Amino acid sequence: SNLAQAAGIGAIMDAEHVNKTVTLNKTALQQFYVALHDAELNYIPSYGNFVMVDLKTEDAAKAFTDDMMQKGIFIRHLRAFGLPHCVRISTGTEAENDLFAKVLAIT
């Protein structure tokens, strides 16, 4: 929509916002890598705002997605993208990223 485009342009033009967002995302990715490594899960390093985790089988990916959802963590099973054995975990706010790491540590 026009409103969404205007908001996007405004965000891009705000250098402080861009720097804050990029820093938050870089920090989140590193936090995710540590949490995933500690959980002994295979992941693909990312240049975006998400990490892809390879759980080896579709059943494992679905079970992981369902378990995380029940714990308040919403991730995306990548079955519809031709990767039924993988999930996508997007970065978020600092509190959301901390919650993901905490929940993963006790899973």
Side-chain angles (χ1 to χ4, degrees):
S1 72
N2 288 341
L3 183 59
Q5 290 176 7
I9 291 169
I12 290 171
M13 301 301 283
D14 182 347
E16 182 180 339
H17 172 74
V18 170
N19 288 333
K20 182 179 175 183
T21 302
V22 168
T23 299
L24 174 62
N25 190 63
K26 285 181 181 181
T27 301
L29 288 175
Q30 291 306 313
Q31 182 180 19
F32 285 11
Y33 297 159
V34 169
L36 292 164
H37 178 269
D38 290 350
E40 299 182 355
L41 294 173
N42 295 318
Y43 63 90
I44 310 299
S46 176
Y47 290 97
N49 67 333
F50 67 92
V51 176
M52 185 171 79
V53 179
D54 183 349
L55 293 157
K56 306 294 183 202
T57 69
E58 182 173 0
D59 289 341
K62 183 176 181 344
F64 184 73
T65 301
D66 292 345
D67 182 52
M68 294 301 276
M69 187 178 297
Q70 288 178 357
K71 295 174 179 170
I73 306 295
F74 297 94
I75 63 176
R76 175 172 242 178
H77 186 185
L78 295 177
R79 177 182 53 247
F81 295 89
L83 297 165
H85 55 288
C86 296
V87 298
R88 171 189 166 137
I89 306 167
S90 298
T91 62
T93 66
E94 189 174 340
E96 291 166 338
N97 299 334
D98 289 345
L99 179 61
F100 167 72
K102 180 180 177 180
V103 168
L104 185 61
I106 60 173
T107 298

